[in-house]
Amino acid sequence: MAKPAGHKGRSASSLEPMDSITIRRKFLDFFASKGHQIVPSAPLVLKNDPSLLFTNSGMVQFKDYFLGNATPKYKRIADTQKCLRVSGKHNDLEDVGLDTYHHTMFEMLGNWSFGDYFKKEAIEWAWELLTEVYQLPKDKLYVSVFGGDKKDNLPVDEEAKDLWRRFVADDRIIHGVKKDNFWEMGESGPCGPCSEIHIDLRNDPNDKRPGRDLVNSDHPQVVEIWNLVFIQFNRLASGALEPLPDKHVDTGMGFERLCMAIQKKTSNYDTDVFSPLIEFVATHAHVKYTGKLDNKTDIAIRVIADHIRAVSFAISDGQLPSNTGAGYVIRRILRRAVRYGFSYLNFKEPFIHRLVPLLALQLKDVFPELHQQLDYVERVVQEEEISFLRTLEDGLKRLDSWIAETEKFAAIMPKALGKEGEGEPKLNGAKVFMLFDTYGFPKDLTLLILKEKGKLQYLWDNWEEQFNIELERQKARSRVDASKETGDWVVYGDEPMSLITDDPPYYDKEKAFVGYDVTDFTSNILKFRSVIKKGDNFLEIVLKQTPFYAESGGQVGDTGYLDLDNGVRIPILNTKKDNGLTVHFAKISADNNPLVGSVVSKPVHAVVDAARRTSIKKNHSATHLLHAALRQVLGKHVEQRGSLVNENLLRFDFSHFAQMTREELSKIEEIVNDKIMENISLDEKRNVPIEKAKSFGAMALFGEKYGEFVRVITFDPKFSVELCGGTHVPATGNIGLFKILSESSVAAGVRRIEAVTGEGALSYFRQQLAMLDEVKSLLKNPKDVSASLQSLIEEKHALEKKIEAVNAEKATDIFNSLQGKISNNAIIERVSVPNADVLKNISFSLRNKYPNLLLVLAADIEGKPQISVMLGEDAVKTSKYNAQQLIKELAKEIEGGGGGQPFYATAGGKNLSGLAQVITKAKALLVA
């Protein structure tokens, strides 16, 4: 096999060290020379794929090709893909920083064949690239092949083994088990054997173990660098395998590990992929990075250097930190970085955002989206840091309060401390988990703080067991939320009732949607399946062509119905994308599936709910006008960060760091309504080359994956030009009217506007006018409504002050009366007070005056029972009583419950007549 130009006769030792930029470029250049089309990375954050939160491998953007839902434009493709593995079965988060090779975000270099070349070329080119272009030592490389599986009735992959024998000896070929050497997309779908390439990077002369014995053994210097997947089967939902008509190649090589191998490092973090970030962190933390795995400072530096990459690119791809879904994962990654910086590098102020410019510059040429949004991403990270550092502070206060409670309890009942049921104030596993879940404290941070305070003895012996139980409960809840039961697809062929068991019919994704032009269409059922979800039976139906718009780009999916030619009508409840397919959802009776067990002809008449679609179109077109108006009023920094368009309203999230003023909102409304009254005709261009569309000034959304050809929606080329796949009104006048309902904050640097159009806007104004008429009527139709309301408000404030004075006087009378009823340091009385605050103030006033006080007040508060139990400062230390325990007993008499602290507790209830028994029981408990 010929060597590539520029490498003749040169040994590995004579080569200059390659930096990461060169390594990446050589990979792409190599496969370009082999006839591969080089394509850009897909966004980290997935859209229109319900099975994944993030892109977690290089193949994700090509799933449609493997599933047969789309036809690839190129038979050979190569790329470098941003990947994130922090959720689902691919979750490396807790390992990051603790070893040399796990990461959250990483690059996956890959080459792909869609029904073109197969094992021979993939293996030959992999060996050529690694040993001749990159000059990796051949005697350090090992390969694995699929060793067969009895359950699937699959033999050893002898074909791959024979191909590898041309390059390596048999003792360097390893038979891998199914877990390591059989790749599957999911529980069903395309799959096949794979061949991994491992490299032995050990340089310890005393370690004589054969490298093959360390393959797939989690050795930090014997690592997999490339996986060649040979996709040749389809896994059915039943578990059975069937051969695919076209065989594909899907390879993935970890860029960071490849750099480690080529640059002769023993850690990914020692390569120039991470070293600039690591040096920046170490310098500003005033520490020296040593690279040790057991050094807490070094671990913290690695965590920050890794996590800022994941967070920054997720935000630039459109995913903001939040409390749900993908946003929660990103927030968790960022908070993990902040925790490590706070605990081990003494970063008490926001710091991590300062790494964003360095990262953006480092990857400007390969992933330009971060550099293009540098200021925005940096600001979002900074705001999140500020918020979490405040939360960390709150968590520390909560921990301090628990420690204080434990110390008080220890002083009162030292023998009971730590006994389950009696030692409640002691720190148990549930509390440690609460610090982790609510405040972001990892358990080792809680242990560190307790150790520093000398309070480790306050932990229950079984705290870790309890912590793990709570953690598993949380994971179980997440698994339940993500669970989905599916059945096999039933596939129809060219003739009615012709059931095909091998390939689905050709599905042209580009031509599947006809709904831009029509709302009813006669099509054909390609396939369907029955899906069981929580006891209900649903149909999922795929048509060859459909007028139904599938939920995408913020626009909700269409509803309507399908008419079969046998007279059966199937109501469609929703339409969504699933792996590139437009899927129509219908809920049916479990015993009356019209597509199963009966004669079903292939043609079907699909009818969209046209009235609902019209309302959606109005809101969608108004969203475009709103976006343009925001940029005109607030500035060009405004970018769409999310949207919802349905028949009732539009919701638009956008980048902006300040609350909008009333004047700005009014100006936005004025601009949009002016454009509506201009009745600007829609200029829709389909199948426009992406570069040409950008030359029009079309707005492209960060985080969206656009193809070579796009659809451009224009309402006045000087006002609104956007790339969009949604449905729109033919002219802005059809929108009718636009009204903003609210403006609010969604996340750091993101604002949200909710608005209505057309009939929704008219309905809003009718309601507002009706409300105004009602107010006028109540005010006896004054000439100036505002002045009349202001007068009423002032009168109300004056009355409230008088009531407060009366209540204060009444509280003083009750306080004086109760002082005369002290017996043996105890006050046990029934009182009538105007509100709970008065009861609380009386209780604390008595405590401040009488340190040995034992107080129980059974109060009638406007017909509702409430109990207050208070112990004086000395009584807490010397008596056997505990307010929390007493309140639990007394609350039973009023059919209520409550709680508090050892010195003060309260309870409310439903049974007012039980207050008499509260007094009787309290006397028995305290006076006896």
Side-chain angles (χ1 to χ4, degrees):
M1 188 161 45
K3 295 182 179 181
H7 291 277
K8 293 181 180 179
R10 294 203 291 175
S11 66
S13 60
S14 68
L15 288 173
E16 293 181 4
M18 291 186 201
D19 61 20
S20 57
I21 295 173
T22 303
I23 292 169
R24 186 190 295 110
R25 178 175 51 77
K26 283 184 176 290
F27 176 89
L28 297 175
D29 288 349
F30 177 83
F31 280 103
S33 75
K34 304 295 185 185
H36 291 66
Q37 177 70 25
I38 308 303
V39 300
S41 170
L44 267 183
V45 186
L46 288 165
K47 296 180 174 66
N48 300 326
D49 188 345
S51 64
L52 291 170
L53 285 178
F54 303 102
T55 299
N56 63 8
S57 66
M59 61 73 57
V60 169
Q61 68 166 307
F62 307 119
K63 281 174 68 174
D64 285 352
Y65 302 156
F66 295 133
L67 291 166
N69 298 336
T71 303
K73 291 182 173 65
Y74 309 101
K75 288 289 188 178
R76 300 180 180 187
I77 285 175
D79 71 349
T80 179
Q81 172 65 54
K82 295 175 295 186
C83 299
L84 200 63
R85 289 190 177 176
V86 287
S87 58
K89 69 176 183 178
H90 295 301
N91 191 344
D92 298 336
L93 180 60
E94 297 306 324
D95 295 319
V96 174
L98 305 181
D99 60 24
T100 62
Y101 55 90
H102 277 107
H103 303 291
T104 48
M105 191 202 103
F106 60 95
E107 284 185 62
M108 184 74 83
L109 302 170
N111 59 288
W112 320 83
S113 167
F114 306 110
D116 189 9
Y117 62 83
F118 201 46
K119 295 180 185 179
K120 179 177 181 296
E121 294 84 352
I123 288 172
E124 285 179 356
W125 292 338
W127 189 256
E128 180 183 352
L129 178 64
L130 292 178
T131 63
E132 297 188 26
V133 177
Y134 290 139
Q135 295 281 292
L136 290 175
K138 298 177 182 179
D139 61 349
K140 295 293 186 181
L141 296 174
Y142 296 85
V143 300
S144 62
V145 298
F146 179 51
D149 185 76
K150 290 183 179 179
K151 183 179 178 183
D152 281 331
N153 196 28
L154 292 173
V156 174
D157 189 353
E158 294 291 351
E159 180 184 3
K161 188 173 181 180
D162 288 341
L163 288 167
W164 277 120
R165 280 179 172 141
R166 297 169 55 201
F167 307 107
V168 297
D170 277 0
D171 64 351
R172 291 183 176 275
I173 303 175
I174 299 158
H175 285 192
V177 296
K178 182 179 177 182
K179 177 177 73 72
D180 296 322
N181 282 83
F182 194 87
W183 181 89
E184 305 203 42
M185 183 181 292
E187 293 183 6
S188 61
C191 55
C194 57
S195 187
E196 298 174 336
I197 304 171
H198 300 255
I199 189 165
D200 184 353
L201 299 173
R202 291 175 297 162
N203 55 14
D204 182 358
N206 297 318
D207 190 348
K208 304 296 185 183
R209 291 173 294 175
R212 65 172 291 127
D213 294 347
L214 301 176
V215 168
N216 284 327
S217 299
D218 291 327
H219 193 287
Q221 270 81 57
V222 182
V223 294
E224 173 200 337
I225 54 172
W226 207 346
N227 189 12
L228 314 178
V229 180
F230 310 121
I231 300 175
Q232 58 190 93
F233 300 107
N234 182 40
R235 174 83 68 183
L236 302 176
S238 63
L241 289 174
E242 60 180 11
L244 289 172
D246 291 323
K247 297 176 181 178
H248 312 292
V249 171
D250 161 10
T251 84
M253 177 155 56
F255 175 65
E256 294 78 11
R257 292 187 185 184
L258 177 65
C259 290
M260 175 177 68
I262 293 173
Q263 295 176 6
K264 299 180 180 179
K265 304 294 185 181
T266 56
S267 167
N268 290 358
Y269 292 98
D270 294 339
T271 68
D272 68 331
V273 176
F274 291 98
S275 57
L277 299 170
I278 284 174
E279 289 169 11
F280 187 90
V281 176
T283 298
H284 288 82
H286 306 292
V287 298
K288 182 176 177 59
Y289 179 73
T290 66
K292 293 179 180 178
L293 294 182
D294 59 352
N295 183 296
K296 293 290 187 182
T297 299
D298 286 354
I299 291 171
I301 292 173
R302 286 193 292 271
V303 166
I304 292 172
D306 172 274
H307 287 10
I308 190 58
R309 287 159 45 93
V311 169
S312 296
F313 280 106
I315 294 171
S316 70
D317 278 348
Q319 182 56 65
L320 288 162
S322 68
N323 289 327
T324 58
Y328 175 72
V329 175
I330 299 306
R331 176 166 282 168
R332 185 179 170 209
I333 295 171
L334 179 54
R335 289 187 169 190
R336 186 171 187 261
V338 175
R339 286 194 319 249
Y340 271 93
F342 181 90
S343 301
Y344 305 114
L345 300 175
N346 201 34
F347 289 144
K348 307 303 182 187
E349 299 293 330
F351 164 78
I352 293 172
H353 66 279
R354 295 168 64 185
L355 287 162
V356 178
L358 179 61
L359 178 64
L361 184 63
Q362 184 182 355
L363 295 172
K364 178 181 178 181
D365 293 331
V366 62
F367 303 127
E369 56 274 16
L370 178 57
H371 195 270
Q372 292 165 11
Q373 303 175 84
L374 175 57
D375 292 342
Y376 173 73
V377 175
E378 187 177 2
R379 184 75 177 269
V380 171
V381 174
Q382 183 181 15
E383 293 290 336
E384 280 290 316
E385 286 188 89
I386 292 169
S387 173
F388 182 53
L389 285 168
R390 197 179 301 126
T391 303
L392 267 176
E393 209 170 301
D394 293 342
L396 289 170
K397 289 178 182 176
R398 175 59 64 95
L399 181 57
D400 285 341
S401 73
W402 286 339
I403 291 171
E405 286 177 22
T406 304
E407 288 176 334
K408 280 186 179 180
F409 192 79
I412 300 169
M413 304 175 69
K415 292 182 179 179
L417 187 64
K419 289 185 180 179
E420 201 160 348
E422 296 179 30
E424 187 178 340
K426 196 170 184 187
L427 284 172
N428 56 28
K431 288 181 176 177
V432 177
F433 181 79
M434 179 186 175
L435 286 174
F436 166 74
D437 195 41
T438 305
Y439 298 101
F441 281 40
K443 58 186 180 182
D444 58 343
L445 176 57
T446 301
L447 288 174
L448 178 68
I449 295 168
L450 290 173
K451 184 177 180 181
E452 289 173 350
K453 293 177 178 288
K455 308 296 183 184
L456 273 175
Q457 71 273 20
Y458 287 174
L459 278 170
W460 279 7
D461 292 339
N462 68 336
W463 74 268
E464 196 158 15
E465 180 183 338
Q466 290 179 313
F467 179 94
N468 291 332
I469 289 171
E470 294 295 329
L471 184 61
E472 283 305 312
R473 284 175 180 165
Q474 185 195 62
K475 288 180 178 178
R477 288 193 295 269
S478 298
R479 284 193 293 269
V480 168
D481 291 342
S483 65
K484 180 180 178 184
E485 300 176 60
T486 61
D488 271 332
W489 287 102
V490 177
V491 185
Y492 286 95
D494 294 330
E495 299 297 327
M497 292 303 297
S498 170
L499 186 65
I500 296 178
T501 57
D502 48 4
D503 297 328
Y506 176 63
Y507 182 83
D508 189 337
K509 188 172 70 171
E510 305 299 328
K511 298 179 181 178
F513 180 62
V514 296
Y516 293 136
D517 305 307
V518 295
T519 54
D520 63 286
F521 190 79
T522 299
S523 186
N524 312 103
I525 295 177
L526 288 188
K527 55 184 182 178
F528 74 89
R529 67 179 171 186
S530 177
V531 180
I532 307 299
K533 294 179 183 176
K534 298 179 180 178
D536 290 323
N537 196 358
F538 293 82
L539 273 182
E540 296 182 4
I541 303 168
V542 177
L543 306 181
K544 187 170 185 178
Q545 290 181 291
T546 178
F548 282 75
Y549 183 85
E551 180 182 315
S552 181
Q555 180 174 328
V556 296
D558 279 332
T559 59
Y561 59 85
L562 303 181
D563 273 343
L564 307 181
D565 66 353
N566 59 359
V568 174
R569 174 168 290 185
I570 302 175
I572 299 303
L573 307 178
N574 202 354
T575 313
K576 293 187 177 184
K577 292 279 189 184
D578 191 345
N579 291 318
L581 297 173
T582 294
V583 183
H584 308 73
F585 292 83
K587 185 177 178 181
I588 59 171
S589 169
D591 55 358
N592 186 27
N593 187 340
L595 301 183
V596 175
S598 61
V599 177
V600 179
S601 59
K602 185 178 166 188
V604 60
H605 190 60
V607 181
V608 174
D609 183 337
R612 179 175 179 268
R613 165 78 79 81
T614 297
S615 296
I616 293 170
K617 289 196 297 185
K618 291 177 180 179
N619 285 333
H620 198 158
S621 296
T623 301
H624 283 221
L625 303 182
L626 170 63
H627 190 186
L630 285 165
R631 288 172 64 84
Q632 187 173 311
V633 173
L634 301 180
K636 299 302 181 185
H637 66 279
V638 169
E639 300 278 359
Q640 180 176 333
R641 295 295 167 184
S643 71
L644 170 68
V645 178
N646 61 27
E647 68 273 30
N648 298 316
L649 56 78
L650 66 92
R651 188 178 73 202
F652 189 74
D653 298 345
F654 58 97
S655 51
H656 189 58
F657 283 90
Q659 182 178 357
M660 291 180 65
T661 65
R662 185 176 297 177
E663 291 74 21
E664 287 170 336
L665 289 169
S666 295
K667 185 63 177 174
I668 296 292
E669 276 191 0
E670 180 184 341
I671 292 171
V672 174
N673 281 306
D674 282 349
K675 294 299 178 183
I676 290 171
M677 288 187 285
E678 285 179 33
N679 197 26
I680 303 166
S681 294
L682 166 67
D683 180 5
E684 177 205 19
K685 291 184 175 68
R686 303 179 193 174
N687 298 315
V688 180
I690 182 71
E691 293 306 318
K692 186 176 181 181
K694 289 179 180 177
S695 73
F696 297 156
M699 292 281 294
L701 301 184
F702 288 108
E704 290 285 354
K705 178 68 175 177
Y706 295 103
E708 291 183 74
F709 297 91
V710 294
R711 180 168 173 261
V712 182
I713 297 297
T714 303
F715 291 107
D716 183 350
K718 295 181 180 179
F719 185 69
S720 173
V721 185
E722 295 196 29
L723 304 182
C724 181
T727 59
H728 289 275
V729 295
T732 59
N734 294 85
I735 298 171
L737 185 62
F738 173 83
K739 174 60 186 172
I740 293 174
L741 300 181
S742 65
E743 188 269 352
S744 61
S745 173
V746 178
V750 180
R751 308 297 298 180
R752 170 174 292 173
I753 281 179
E754 291 193 354
V756 286
T757 66
E759 184 58 39
L762 285 173
S763 176
Y764 171 81
F765 282 118
R766 291 191 195 104
Q767 290 172 9
Q768 294 300 305
L769 287 171
M771 191 184 304
L772 181 59
D773 287 343
E774 186 177 352
V775 170
K776 283 182 177 180
S777 177
L778 291 171
L779 295 174
K780 309 300 183 186
N781 294 308
K783 291 182 179 180
D784 190 335
V785 175
S786 179
S788 294
L789 285 174
Q790 185 62 38
S791 176
L792 280 175
I793 290 169
E794 291 172 358
E795 186 179 338
K796 174 177 175 288
H797 287 164
L799 289 171
E800 285 173 346
K801 288 182 180 179
K802 288 182 180 179
I803 292 171
E804 286 176 9
V806 170
N807 287 341
E809 187 177 341
K810 186 172 183 179
T812 301
D813 292 341
I814 296 172
F815 173 78
N816 292 331
S817 172
L818 291 172
Q819 287 187 91
K821 298 179 179 180
I822 296 177
S823 175
N824 295 324
N825 295 319
I827 300 175
I828 303 171
E829 291 292 329
R830 180 167 178 170
V831 296
S832 179
V833 294
N835 55 55
D837 285 339
V838 170
L839 182 65
K840 181 179 179 180
N841 291 337
I842 292 171
S843 300
F844 272 92
S845 296
L846 289 167
R847 183 178 194 265
N848 292 337
K849 191 167 184 179
Y850 303 101
N852 290 308
L853 181 69
L854 300 174
L855 172 71
V856 175
L857 297 179
D860 178 344
I861 302 178
E862 296 184 346
K864 294 182 179 180
Q866 186 157 331
I867 308 167
S868 176
V869 176
M870 178 72 81
L871 275 64
E873 188 174 345
D874 292 344
V876 172
K877 297 176 183 177
T878 59
S879 74
K880 62 182 178 179
Y881 301 113
N882 181 298
Q884 290 171 302
Q885 295 173 350
L886 286 169
I887 205 73
K888 287 178 182 177
E889 282 299 316
L890 298 176
K892 295 175 184 177
E893 305 304 325
I894 57 171
E895 298 177 19
Q901 301 173 37
F903 75 94
Y904 175 59
T906 61
K910 296 181 288 186
N911 181 16
L912 185 65
S913 62
L915 289 177
Q917 186 57 33
V918 168
I919 298 299
T920 302
K921 181 179 279 191
K923 288 179 177 178
L925 290 170
L926 296 176
V927 181

